[in-house]
Amino acid sequence: MPHSVHPIDRMLLQNKAWAFERVQSDPSFFKRLSSTQKPEVLWIGCSDSRVPANEITNTGPGEIFVHRNVANLVRPGDVNSSSVLEYAIGMVKVRSVVVVGHRGCGGIRASMASFDGLPATLADWLGSIREVYAKNAAELDALPEGDARENALLGHVVRTQVENLAKMDVVKRHWAERQAPSLHGMVYSTADGRLVELCRVLPSATAPVAAAS
Ligand code: CO
């Protein structure tokens, strides 16, 4: 019997059980959540199924605003992540933005392999990881192939996304207006479930307000 259950049917059934249990333990749960959302954190993570934002931070619905894509990239000119940032920083007014990379990331790994046969959109997306590699090639090439090199690249990729964030107009505008959000780069280890902070950029009140670069 379990083999014949379609994954989507199982998902709908699990959802029914979850909603029922939530109301059992907290009757006003959905009423409270429906009225407003005031998360303090915007999470930019990888689409990887092993890195669920709420679960690994022990948070629930309403606590984290989430954007996920392949290899947790914040690319200048990407309408998707840009609109998430405008909304989360400008309207929801989150206090912090975290970019979360993870060990064993398929996107990082694929960027280091041949792009032959890779769909063009994916090659384009992963191309920006290659640019990060190229900028740090001297250091990365000197490392042994495998985990050491991959983890070092991952660190550089995460830091680069935080640097990209710091250059965005919406970030600079809100730094000047309300001294937020703080920016954080983190790496999650699928081996032990731990999240480690790599870098932190605090709002600089002196940042030029409208210096579009
Ligand atoms: Co990944």
Side-chain angles (χ1 to χ4, degrees):
M1 184 63 186
H3 285 288
S4 63
V5 178
H6 193 283
I8 297 302
D9 290 331
R10 186 166 57 237
M11 186 183 268
L12 291 169
L13 197 60
Q14 299 274 35
N15 165 258
K16 209 169 172 180
W18 173 80
F20 179 76
E21 280 166 17
R22 277 285 170 162
V23 174
Q24 289 298 100
S25 61
D26 181 359
S28 64
F29 181 77
F30 292 110
K31 226 169 279 166
R32 228 172 33 244
L33 273 181
S34 318
S35 56
T36 183
Q37 67 154 345
K38 201 80 193 85
E40 298 195 307
V41 175
L42 165 62
W43 171 286
I44 299 172
C46 184
S47 298
D48 194 299
S49 65
R50 298 164 296 179
V51 197
N54 283 126
E55 196 157 345
I56 66 181
T57 56
N58 227 350
T59 52
E63 293 188 74
I64 304 186
F65 201 87
V66 176
H67 176 70
R68 292 169 72 176
N69 61 39
V70 172
N72 40 269
L73 303 181
V74 182
R75 297 214 312 190
D78 169 31
V79 179
N80 191 351
S81 59
S82 296
S83 47
V84 169
L85 285 159
E86 286 287 352
Y87 187 76
I89 297 172
M91 320 283 273
V92 179
K93 296 200 163 38
V94 294
R95 288 173 60 183
S96 302
V97 180
V98 294
V99 176
V100 184
H102 69 101
R103 302 248 188 262
C105 181
I108 299 281
R109 206 166 279 169
S111 78
M112 298 167 84
S114 165
F115 280 5
D116 288 348
L118 208 61
T121 43
L122 210 42
D124 173 74
W125 187 253
L126 298 177
S128 67
I129 303 180
R130 283 209 167 164
E131 286 169 24
V132 174
Y133 191 106
K135 273 188 195 153
N136 300 280
E139 177 206 327
L140 295 170
D141 286 343
L143 292 168
E145 252 183 277
D147 285 353
R149 195 181 288 177
E150 200 178 295
N151 289 340
L153 175 59
L154 171 66
H156 284 298
V157 168
V158 168
R159 284 172 205 275
T160 301
Q161 309 318 303
V162 172
E163 286 163 17
N164 290 347
L165 282 173
K167 288 179 206 152
M168 294 185 75
D169 281 347
V170 63
V171 170
K172 289 193 281 191
R173 220 163 56 231
H174 283 262
W175 278 359
E177 282 171 15
R178 60 179 178 100
Q179 288 74 55
S182 58
L183 310 176
H184 310 256
M186 297 187 187
V187 166
Y188 174 75
S189 169
T190 34
D192 62 7
R194 296 298 304 271
L195 204 52
V196 174
E197 187 174 34
L198 289 188
C199 60
R200 177 180 294 206
V201 180
L202 297 176
S204 113
T206 55
V209 180
S213 50

